[in-house]
Amino acid sequence: MKKIAVLGGGSWGTALSKVLCENGHDVKVWLRDEAQCNDIRKTRINNKYLPNVILPSNLYFTTDMGEALGDSEIIINVIPTQNIRKVFEKIPKQFIKSKIIINCSKGIELGTHYLISDIIKEESIDCVYVILSGPSHAEELGRGLVTAATVASESEEAAKTAQDIFMTSYFRVYTSKDVKGVELGGALKNIIALGAGISDGVGYGDNAKAALMTRGILEISRLGTCFGAELSTFQGLSGVGDLIATCTSQHSRNRNAGFLIGQGLKKDEAIEKIGMVVEGITTTYAAYELAKENNIDMPITYAMHDILENSADVKETVTKLMLREKKEE
């Protein structure tokens, strides 16, 4: 049994906490909202983010960061990317010194263009970093539906520890050493998922979405390998696997936000209607800047940025993509 603190009480944090608790670990979940915390304690359901999933009676929820982290051996980060630094800056360093921190969020920090591994290493002392990513919607994992994911770390021992605490008969976890590849695959696929949703919202068919996903994984690979990731990682669960799930699932907030934009809503209106963080929007801006700075050819990302930032007409943008200079695949 491990003592585990989970930072973040959204849908994904709740689903992962349920898995860990059912695996026999002592799990404490930290969340900000006192009313939400009290409601979960009373009903044993996260009605705001993961309704209809009954949580174990011994899964503990608190708004006291010290209580959650005090005796923890492992920390699970499920805080939205753009808020991670703000939260970690406020944590007393003795609570996170030399601990395994398993990041389960996806994205790139705006401004710095830092990956989450960079943020956490900068804001902690001697932590051992692990990333978990893959095609894994909280709504399905929370119900015990078969799911697979990848954990990556520079420490083989830490990766195997993460694999051990999460593995169940319905949640299969593989290990990897390619931290950057797993992180970038999980972050960048959200851009393509936004595009897939926009395509569906406008009324394009399966042909268009298949082309978008196929060319999208190529763009992800281009940026990833530029920053030292392994090409093979993008062919696995945290690459093409996550891309497929996020582009096609009814549970995907990025795909659903894109659908609303394709139907005519502005990005802020789509975010408000989704009611949760849409990481693909901020990631589009970060990836666009990275691609420009490093002269990386990412036409889909450029097109998505034009739609989000300049409210470019979707059909005209697609026509421009289709009529680019002819080339071999």
Side-chain angles (χ1 to χ4, degrees):
M1 183 185 75
K2 300 288 187 182
K3 294 182 180 296
I4 301 173
V6 177
L7 305 182
S11 58
W12 190 220
T14 302
L16 290 171
S17 299
K18 178 175 179 284
V19 171
L20 292 167
C21 194
E22 290 175 345
N23 276 352
H25 301 293
D26 180 359
V27 185
K28 294 178 181 175
V29 183
W30 172 82
L31 62 167
R32 292 176 181 271
D33 192 318
E34 188 73 46
Q36 181 194 2
C37 185
N38 290 333
D39 183 62
I40 294 172
R41 286 174 172 174
K42 180 180 178 181
T43 65
R44 306 313 303 171
I45 297 173
N46 189 336
N47 288 293
K48 185 175 182 180
Y49 293 114
L50 199 65
N52 305 317
V53 174
I54 299 174
L55 303 173
S57 59
N58 59 332
L59 179 54
Y60 189 77
F61 290 82
T62 181
T63 56
D64 186 327
M65 182 72 79
E67 184 180 23
L69 291 173
D71 61 351
S72 65
E73 302 166 75
I74 297 172
I75 299 169
I76 311 292
N77 173 68
V78 207
I79 299 164
T81 303
Q82 307 309 320
N83 295 326
I84 291 173
R85 189 180 296 278
K86 297 174 188 175
V87 172
F88 271 72
E89 283 176 341
K90 296 177 182 178
I91 299 174
K93 292 299 183 277
Q94 70 267 21
F95 284 144
I96 52 178
K97 183 178 180 181
S98 303
K99 291 185 179 178
I100 293 175
I101 300 180
I102 304 173
N103 171 51
C104 302
S105 295
K106 301 172 181 179
I108 301 172
E109 188 177 43
L110 289 173
T112 65
H113 301 157
Y114 276 13
L115 298 180
I116 297 172
S117 56
D118 300 319
I119 301 170
I120 289 178
K121 287 177 182 177
E122 191 168 273
E123 297 297 336
S124 62
I125 300 172
D126 298 328
C127 82
V128 182
Y129 181 82
V130 182
I131 168 75
L132 180 147
S133 189
S136 45
H137 291 299
E139 295 83 356
E140 295 186 0
L141 184 65
R143 292 164 50 209
L145 299 182
V146 170
T147 302
T150 300
V151 289
S153 179
E154 294 174 0
S155 165
E156 184 177 356
E157 181 180 356
K160 288 182 177 179
T161 296
Q163 182 183 47
D164 288 343
I165 64 172
F166 282 116
M167 280 275 287
T168 72
S169 61
Y170 61 88
F171 191 26
R172 182 166 180 80
V173 180
Y174 295 84
T175 61
S176 169
K177 294 180 181 178
D178 186 11
V179 174
K180 284 189 177 180
V182 172
E183 281 199 277
L184 284 167
L188 298 173
K189 55 83 186 178
N190 285 331
I191 301 171
I192 310 305
L194 273 172
I198 290 173
S199 177
D200 287 341
V202 170
Y204 294 134
D206 294 338
N207 293 349
K209 187 153 62 176
L212 181 73
M213 292 166 64
T214 306
R215 300 304 298 177
I217 198 66
L218 179 63
E219 286 196 16
I220 292 169
S221 302
R222 280 181 189 148
L223 193 148
T225 53
C226 178
F227 286 91
E230 297 175 12
L231 181 61
S232 59
T233 299
F234 301 112
Q235 298 166 357
L237 288 167
S238 60
V240 69
D242 205 0
L243 181 71
I244 291 168
T246 312
C247 288
T248 61
S249 174
Q250 62 180 332
H251 302 305
S252 169
R253 68 188 71 168
N254 290 284
R255 181 263 169 200
N256 291 340
F259 183 87
L260 294 171
I261 293 169
Q263 291 274 291
L265 271 65
K266 302 296 185 184
K267 68 172 185 282
D268 291 338
E269 295 171 330
I271 293 169
E272 183 178 357
K273 192 158 186 178
I274 293 297
M276 291 185 282
V277 174
V278 182
E279 289 285 8
I281 290 176
T282 51
T283 303
T284 297
Y285 283 85
Y288 172 83
E289 292 165 5
L290 277 172
K292 286 288 188 181
E293 288 171 7
N294 294 278
N295 196 29
I296 303 170
D297 184 26
M298 299 183 71
I300 297 172
T301 300
Y302 295 163
M304 288 301 305
H305 180 269
D306 199 21
I307 291 169
L308 294 174
E309 178 64 13
N310 303 316
S311 300
D313 181 86
V314 173
K315 291 188 176 181
E316 287 181 8
T317 302
V318 171
T319 299
K320 290 178 183 177
L321 279 173
M322 295 296 287
L323 293 178
R324 287 177 302 124
E325 181 182 357
K326 293 177 284 186
K327 58 176 66 177
E328 293 183 4
E329 183 171 25

